[in-house]
Amino acid sequence: MRTSVAIIGAGPAGLLLGHLLRAEGIACVVVERQTRARVESRIRAGVLETVTTDLLRRLGLAERLDAEGLIESGFNLANDEALIRVDVTKLTGRHVTVYGQTEVTRDLIAAAPSRDLDIVFEASEVALHDVDGDAPFVTYAKDGALQRIDADFIAGCDGFHGPSRKAIPAARVREFERVYPFGWLGILADVPPCHDELIYANGAKGFALASMRSPTRSRYYIQVPTTERVEDWPATRLWDELEARFAPLAQRAVVRGDPLEISIAPLRSYVFETMRHGRLFLAGDAAHIVPPTGAKGLNLAASDIAYLSTALIAHYARGDETLLTGYEAKALARIWKAERFSWYLTKLMHRFPEDGAFERRMQIAELDYVAQSAAMQTVIAENYVGLPL
Ligand code: RFL
Ligand code: PHB
């Protein structure tokens, strides 16, 4: 089979790119390792910047987002029992939207047939070939048969563990990484949230986050050592912990319910330079990871795709190569700023096992400063709503 752009991965990055290209009549195919059900049931991000919602709106795929998404005009940082509200709309004129990544993915997959976007699920042994030549191609196995897609370009949107990044020779690459000494233990449950806006709390027992998906669905996280296992955390233990953390901070009591999911996610900062090798372009988690503090991961995938789709469209519409040539520099400039903000907020809001009394006093002083300074709050707010494209 022959196409213009072979897209590897049906996460938010690959699906958005596929839709944006098809909207301009550019041929493309998305190749995904997992089943559709698996892709649609992954529970991840919850907070969307306008960069992300604007893309969905431009595609005419924001109907459910507009009906169900919660407009958030502020969020809270807590230092022990003191709540600091950051009024992002007052400070920036903008807002974020609470709408789960799961729902974004479902909306994009549901719309694929009517937009003539071909998604191949359950493709195994996906491999990239000749990415630095003139005729790159992708192979995969499906239902026992080997398939081949010849393309002008390959978009590696296959997340942190996919094969695309590995197709770039090590000699051309620089990697930057920080692994944090803790993870986030998360719970999702159909219970009303304890607060109308998110609370990122730095308490004596570490970080905790009260978030939500809707007025009837809550999402909570607590910081746990990387050695911890989900089996160590029956729901009752986790609810006890969340109640202790949020009772002094929240507008309402923490309501308990059967967990829809309990999981542990490790925290990492990671950037892979380069994002282009020949006719292969990387986007999203395939090229970078942020710790979830600040909710930048999905939104960075969306901004990469905003740049990459514009560049590919300019190539096909006008033979203009300048945006493709400039893709990496443009994407990395925004990525590094999101890396900085996620790292900053992670350091400010977590208890690091190696930290002593001095580092804790630094956190207290900084949070106290944030509480008193409109300038500091503006810096945090403009990063939280997302820096301009
Ligand atoms: P994804 O979503 O990982 O999608 C990549 C897709 O590629 C597929 N794939 C392959 N396909 C074909 N062949 C192969 N060999 C393949 N290998 C992998 C995968 O099955 C998948 O469908 O990357 P993308 O599109 O770049 O999107 C990035 C976001 O998903 C990610 O940044 C965020 O979810 C990160 N993240 C969070 N971000 C936030 O902003 N807020 C959060 O609360 C938040 N929570 C999370 C997260 C990521 C998590 N991970 C990665 C485990 C919680 C978790 C648990
Ligand atoms: C979530 O609701 O899952 C969420 C919200 C904010 C974050 C991370 C995760 O910073």
Side-chain angles (χ1 to χ4, degrees):
M1 164 191 197
R2 154 125 222 121
T3 192
S4 298
V5 184
I7 301 169
I8 307 182
L15 292 169
L16 280 170
L17 180 61
H19 274 289
L20 290 162
L21 295 180
R22 290 303 301 127
E24 300 297 321
I26 299 167
C28 61
V29 182
V30 181
V31 182
E32 165 62 47
R33 184 166 62 110
Q34 302 288 357
T35 62
R36 174 175 177 174
R38 179 77 188 272
V39 171
E40 290 190 331
S41 62
R42 284 195 294 237
I43 293 154
R44 291 187 176 176
V47 177
L48 307 184
E49 296 174 10
T50 43
V51 163
T52 309
T53 52
D54 284 352
L55 287 180
L56 293 167
R57 217 156 266 129
R58 179 173 134 198
L59 288 166
L61 294 176
E63 199 178 317
R64 209 157 65 92
L65 168 78
D66 286 334
E68 297 173 20
L70 305 177
I71 305 288
E72 295 281 301
S73 58
F75 72 99
N76 303 274
L77 298 174
N79 191 17
D80 288 325
E81 296 188 5
L83 206 62
I84 307 164
R85 178 164 189 269
V86 181
D87 189 331
V88 295
T89 300
K90 193 172 104 198
L91 294 165
T92 67
R94 297 165 60 206
H95 63 267
V96 294
T97 306
V98 163
Y99 189 69
Q101 178 171 333
T102 314
E103 311 310 319
V104 173
T105 308
R106 283 183 189 165
D107 294 347
L108 291 170
I109 292 175
S114 65
R115 305 294 176 95
D116 212 11
L117 172 62
D118 200 5
I119 309 172
V120 181
F121 289 100
E122 297 173 72
S124 60
E125 296 160 46
V126 174
L128 297 79
H129 308 270
D130 295 348
V131 294
D132 53 355
D134 289 336
F137 62 101
V138 173
T139 54
Y140 63 92
K142 168 96 183 166
D143 301 328
L146 192 69
Q147 307 288 341
R148 170 174 170 149
I149 306 175
D150 291 281
D152 301 335
F153 299 103
I154 300 175
C157 302
D158 45 357
F160 190 62
H161 302 287
S164 295
R165 194 171 66 245
K166 294 167 195 128
I168 302 182
R172 284 224 43 223
V173 161
R174 282 190 79 187
E175 283 176 285
F176 303 84
E177 184 168 42
R178 167 94 199 249
V179 177
Y180 298 88
F182 39 74
W184 279 17
L185 171 67
I187 184 167
L188 183 75
D190 275 331
V191 290
C194 65
H195 209 80
D196 294 337
E197 296 175 336
L198 274 69
I199 304 175
Y200 293 82
N202 181 337
K205 290 173 79 180
F207 171 83
L209 169 61
S211 180
M212 69 202 83
R213 290 291 177 275
S214 74
T216 56
R217 182 169 284 188
S218 300
R219 179 73 163 156
Y220 291 98
Y221 299 92
I222 59 169
Q223 166 186 350
V224 292
T226 32
T227 47
E228 215 86 339
R229 295 166 314 150
V230 170
E231 302 78 71
D232 301 328
W233 287 91
T236 326
R237 180 179 176 204
L238 186 45
W239 286 122
D240 286 347
E241 199 61 47
L242 290 165
E243 197 172 275
R245 309 281 183 101
F246 288 110
L249 296 167
Q251 292 157 322
R252 296 174 291 276
V254 171
V255 182
R256 297 171 182 231
D258 291 337
L260 300 167
E261 190 233 28
I262 297 185
S263 63
I264 296 181
L267 263 66
R268 176 195 307 270
S269 298
Y270 176 83
V271 179
F272 184 84
E273 294 184 357
T274 174
M275 293 176 72
R276 177 188 189 168
H277 182 60
R279 290 176 170 267
L280 168 64
F281 292 86
L282 301 181
D285 278 16
H288 43 78
I289 297 288
V290 287
T293 335
K296 293 284 154 242
L298 165 62
N299 296 299
L300 267 189
S303 60
D304 286 357
I305 293 306
Y307 298 136
L308 183 57
S309 60
T310 308
L312 287 167
I313 291 164
H315 165 85
Y316 284 105
R318 312 187 288 279
D320 178 352
E321 299 301 305
T322 47
L323 295 178
L324 281 176
T325 308
Y327 166 68
E328 167 169 319
K330 195 139 197 194
L332 280 173
R334 194 170 190 277
I335 289 160
W336 275 114
K337 291 186 202 87
E339 291 282 349
R340 186 205 69 81
F341 180 64
S342 309
W343 165 82
Y344 164 78
L345 213 54
T346 301
K347 284 215 315 176
L348 181 62
M349 301 309 295
H350 291 73
R351 301 292 171 108
F352 285 67
E354 68 268 26
D355 279 359
F358 179 81
E359 283 77 12
R360 177 60 193 145
R361 286 302 167 104
M362 290 295 101
Q363 288 184 336
I364 294 170
E366 175 119 19
L367 283 163
D368 199 22
Y369 185 26
V370 171
Q372 289 164 4
S373 162
M376 280 298 284
Q377 288 186 21
T378 305
V379 168
I380 291 174
E382 74 181 8
N383 281 277
Y384 191 73
V385 295
L387 297 176
L389 278 181

